[in-house]
Every structure is written in C-alpha cells, then in structure tokens.
Amino acid sequence: MNVSHLLDAINELDTYKRYGKIVRVVGLMIESKGPEASVGEVCVIHSSPKKGETILAEVVGFSEEKVLLMPYSEITDIAPGCLVEATGEPLQVKVGRGMVGQVLDSLGRSMYESASLKGLRPYPTDQSPPNPLSRPPIEEPIQVGVRSIDTLLTVGKGQRVGIFAGSGVGKSTLMGMIARNSGADINVIALIGERGREVREFIERDLGEEGLKKSIVVVATSDQPALMRIKGAYTATAISEYFRDLGYDVNLMMDSVTRVAMAQREVGLATGEPPTTKGYTPSVFAILPKLLERTGTNASGSITAFYTVLVDGDDMNEPIADTVRGILDGHFVLDRKLAEQGQFPAINVLKSISRVMNHVADSEHLDAAVRMRNLLATYEENQELIQIGAYRKGSSKEVDEAIEYHPKLISFLKQGTHEPVQNVEAVEQLIQLVGRGGQG
C-alpha cells in the first residue's frame, strides 16, 4: 500500500492553533492583538470560557498591527482579553439536496428547531464568477408564469434581471408568483434585511406550500448584524451555484440587493472607508459586480436571477439602482401609479426591458410584442388629451387604434396572484390580441 501521499499530507498539516486577545470594541468593530489571519478568514471568539460559549467573527481588515473583526451575532458577552482563535479558513456552509423545502439562516442552518439536515457537504460561500468564455450563450426562454413578463419581457435561462420598485408596490407578491409558476427546477430565495413579521407572511401567503416544496429560503432579518445580512446574499448565491453545477436550472431571487449594499456600507464605514455618493463606500461598488456576476449560465446548468432593488422615493437614478441596472441583463420597473389604479402586477412594460428577448423569442412573438408596445406608448403619449375630451376621433388612425385596443391590453396585463399562466398559452393570447388581429 502506497502511503507516501498520506505522509506528505501529514507533513503539510499545520498543527498549531493561533490565538489573539481582544483589546478594543468600538460599535460594530472588534479589535484584537493577533491571531495571524488573513482578510475573509473566520475566527472564533471565546466570549465566556466558563460557559464554553463562542462567537464567530470574520477578519475584515487590519489597523496598526491589530486585527479588525466583525461578528456574525450579538457581542454582549465579549470582554477585554477574550481569546480569539484563528480557524485558517473562510466561511463555508453545508449544502445538499436535503435543503430543498427548508428555511435557513445566513450560515446555512435550518431555522426550524426540529429539522436536522442530512447528506450535506461543506461549500465555500465566496467564489469567483465563471470564466466569461466558459459561459454558454442564452438561447432558450424560461417560463416565469407572469403573463406580462413571458410575452413582453421574455426571460432567458441564465438571465439576470433587476426588479426596481418603491416600498409597497408588490415586489414580494411578484416574487411569490415567479417562485410558484416558473419553469425552473429549484428556487433559492434570499430575504435580506426583511422585517421579521414579513418572513413568515411571505413563506405562507406569497410562496405557499406548493412553492416551498421546490424552494430553499435563506433569511437574514433587519435586526441581525451587518455581516450576517451580507453573508445571507453570499450563502444564497453559493447554494444556487452548487445546484447549477449539478445540472439544475435554478431561480435565484434576492430581496433586496439594496439592503446588501446598505449592510456593506455599514461594514465599510466601520473599517474606516471614506463615504462617497449618498454615503456608500467604495467597497459597495466593488462587491456588487462580483456578487451579481456569479449567477448566469455555465457548462452544467443555469442560474436565472431576479434581484429586487428598492428605489427611495421612486428615484430610478439613485446610486445602487444605477449601478445594478448597468450590471444586469434587463430590468422590470414596478410603477406606483399602476398599483394605485389596481393593475397588478404593476409592471410598467414601457420602462422595462429584457436584453436577451430578441435572442430567445421567435419573430412572430417579437412582432406582436413590438405592436403591443406601440399601442401602449401611443395611448400614453395622448392620455391627457383623451381624458379631458380634447382628442377628436378620426384625427389620427394610430391614436384611434390605441384607444380601441387599450381596455383589452390592460385586461391582458392584469393577472391574479394565484392565476397560473403557461408561457406558450400567454404568447398565443398576445398574438391573437394584437398580432393576427391587427393585421387582418
């Protein structure tokens, strides 16, 4: 028996444990003298040696030979002189098929007290995006199950889309519809910075029992430390990558990427980074492309990603919205005005775009979609004249046609929360409504 490789492994094994001591705690930041560790490494803080309690923390920087740590949990038991032990590894979560149907925290642990997950293996949360040349092109549509998206904003397998909306315009409801009705094999849903009350409501009302059966939900509520909110996004992305590598078509839904950016801003400011636009630190604009580029296609499977972006005061040009829109392959804008008129889902199709639709939809479908957009745009341009009665019928053939079609188009765009729609059926309805009907 050849044991040389085992002996080599033993010789390379580092048997030393490296410790340091806490010297200072300021706000979110813990400073310790030692141990020898690198940025991104997880350390264990022995907060109460008598009770044997420990707190996990991550190295986020260095200052004058001191190690700067941020905890994954509350730090009420930490005192000067507490031991800090280096693990020598970055954060890993355990992943596997046993996660499906579970609700997890940012460290991949089940939030159901009675649940025990089996058949899992360690997987790093922080990974590099795939090589751009190894990504297969997006050529196949994926069913989203929302009529207005499948027909006018067709999504491709492996596309990354931003859902831009203010508060209370129906983001969570739309995500629940996509999770229940989509053609993906598995949904990974990350609820980052949500109110605690909304988590259970989303799981029971919006997602429902059927949706949960093929979903993995990762939760980091707003009361948790900033690092846990950031790690929630990384953990959900890592779980999606694991299933993609097994050959699955995965839907990743993150609500919201804005709260991930806010958590990174907290970490950046605590480590001494200078604030830039709207107080966001440079690291925020560095981590967003790294996180968002990890999704998409690879040689094995695909991750179709939907990232919600909170737009303060419905300002579409605020820094995070602007940055995310430039990285992703399309954006859906939820319009408060449409929601107030009772049109749900409140997607403003004229302000929204899918950058891969031309590659995944056939010519008849594209022609019908362009025609419907033209009718909607013509009506919107002349809406004020029509509403005050200043427009005279017969003045313009295009406007007359837009007025005639408008009630049917709005009826087509409306969809009940629990009204499943098949992709093929929705496209056929669109072509019958404006395609063949308009040409005849």
Side-chain angles (χ1 to χ4, degrees):
M1 182 182 175
N2 185 9
V3 293
S4 59
H5 66 286
L6 295 175
L7 292 170
D8 291 341
I10 291 167
N11 289 332
E12 289 169 13
L13 192 66
D14 185 0
T15 55
Y16 287 97
K17 282 193 174 182
R18 291 173 170 79
Y19 291 95
K21 281 190 175 183
I22 288 176
V23 292
R24 190 166 178 245
V25 176
V26 183
L28 305 170
M29 195 62 60
I30 301 166
E31 290 183 15
S32 74
K33 193 145 188 176
E36 188 183 313
S38 55
V39 172
E41 192 173 315
V42 175
C43 291
V44 179
I45 300 171
H46 297 269
S47 59
S48 181
K50 290 178 183 176
K51 298 179 188 174
E53 291 176 3
T54 58
I55 291 170
L56 290 180
E58 186 174 305
V59 178
V60 293
F62 307 98
S63 173
E64 296 176 355
E65 298 185 5
K66 292 190 184 79
V67 179
L68 303 180
L69 300 148
M70 290 202 80
Y72 289 142
S73 55
E74 295 300 321
I75 56 171
T76 45
D77 291 335
I78 288 179
C82 282
L83 282 180
V84 180
E85 180 187 341
T87 63
E89 293 180 346
L91 179 67
Q92 294 196 335
V93 292
K94 291 191 173 179
V95 296
R97 290 185 178 88
M99 285 180 152
V100 180
Q102 291 290 330
V103 181
L104 312 171
D105 68 6
S106 298
L107 304 180
R109 301 171 299 202
S110 176
M111 294 183 76
Y112 293 118
E113 291 175 6
S114 58
S116 61
L117 306 181
K118 293 177 183 175
L120 309 184
R121 68 179 189 82
Y123 199 78
T125 59
D126 197 354
Q127 301 198 63
S128 298
N131 182 332
L133 298 180
S134 71
R135 289 181 184 268
I138 298 169
E139 295 173 335
E140 192 182 340
I142 188 167
Q143 176 179 298
V144 173
V146 178
R147 194 187 291 114
S148 54
I149 296 174
D150 282 335
T151 54
L152 302 175
L153 301 160
T154 310
V155 175
K157 265 184 196 175
Q159 186 176 351
R160 299 157 308 141
V161 180
I163 300 173
F164 292 74
S167 53
V169 189
K171 290 188 310 299
S172 297
T173 307
L174 179 60
M175 281 175 61
M177 286 173 73
I178 294 170
R180 287 194 310 274
N181 303 334
S182 97
D185 302 317
I186 287 176
N187 299 308
V188 180
I189 303 166
L191 303 177
I192 311 296
E194 287 285 322
R195 303 173 189 91
R197 171 187 65 80
E198 290 180 334
V199 172
R200 189 165 175 182
E201 279 185 14
F202 174 79
I203 292 165
E204 292 180 1
R205 293 183 192 172
D206 297 324
L207 188 58
E209 196 176 331
E210 282 303 305
L212 187 59
K213 278 181 187 173
K214 67 166 191 174
S215 300
I216 300 164
V217 184
V218 179
V219 176
T221 48
S222 57
D223 60 295
Q224 293 185 347
L227 207 57
M228 282 292 268
R229 281 174 269 144
I230 296 166
K231 289 299 164 190
Y234 278 76
T235 295
T237 306
I239 293 168
S240 304
E241 288 170 324
Y242 169 77
F243 283 102
R244 175 180 65 184
D245 292 344
L246 292 178
Y248 288 93
D249 291 319
V250 183
N251 260 2
L252 170 64
M253 285 173 270
M254 192 177 292
D255 184 13
S256 75
V257 76
T258 309
R259 294 201 181 107
V260 178
M262 287 175 173
Q264 182 61 36
R265 176 173 64 183
E266 284 181 46
V267 173
L269 291 172
T271 53
E273 280 189 74
T276 55
T277 323
K278 271 204 172 179
Y280 288 103
T281 56
S283 64
V284 173
F285 302 103
I287 72 150
L288 282 175
K290 286 181 185 175
L291 178 65
L292 304 181
E293 284 289 348
R294 284 169 62 180
T295 54
T297 57
N298 75 357
S300 307
S302 68
I303 301 173
T304 308
F306 298 89
Y307 298 99
T308 69
V309 182
L310 291 167
V311 283
D312 296 332
D314 298 322
D315 174 16
M316 290 297 296
N317 297 314
E318 65 99 31
I320 299 304
D322 215 28
T323 304
V324 171
R325 193 165 54 241
I327 298 166
L328 299 177
D329 312 317
H331 53 270
F332 303 159
V333 177
L334 299 190
D335 196 324
R336 190 175 300 280
K337 191 174 161 191
L338 296 179
E340 287 166 354
Q341 291 169 0
Q343 182 181 321
F344 289 102
I347 300 170
N348 186 325
V349 293
L350 296 176
K351 289 182 180 175
S352 307
I353 191 168
S354 168
R355 289 183 183 150
V356 305
M357 182 174 175
N358 289 345
H359 307 300
V360 298
D362 60 46
S363 57
E364 191 178 18
H365 176 184
L366 288 171
D367 290 346
V370 168
R371 178 166 162 71
M372 183 162 179
R373 279 177 175 273
N374 287 340
L375 289 166
L376 287 168
T378 303
Y379 186 89
E380 192 169 292
E381 281 168 22
N382 297 277
Q383 190 171 15
E384 287 184 14
L385 291 173
I386 295 164
Q387 285 180 339
I388 62 171
Y391 175 76
R392 287 188 178 181
K393 193 175 180 183
S395 302
S396 164
K397 185 186 170 187
E398 287 79 11
V399 178
D400 288 348
E401 199 173 28
I403 293 169
E404 184 193 337
Y405 270 97
H406 194 254
K408 299 176 199 168
L409 301 185
I410 297 304
S411 176
F412 176 82
L413 292 173
K414 285 183 180 179
Q415 185 176 338
T417 310
H418 294 278
E419 180 192 335
V421 175
Q422 295 297 313
N423 186 354
V424 178
E425 179 191 327
V427 173
E428 189 58 40
Q429 285 173 359
L430 171 72
I431 292 168
Q432 284 179 355
L433 179 63
V434 299
R436 295 173 194 141
Q439 292 161 6

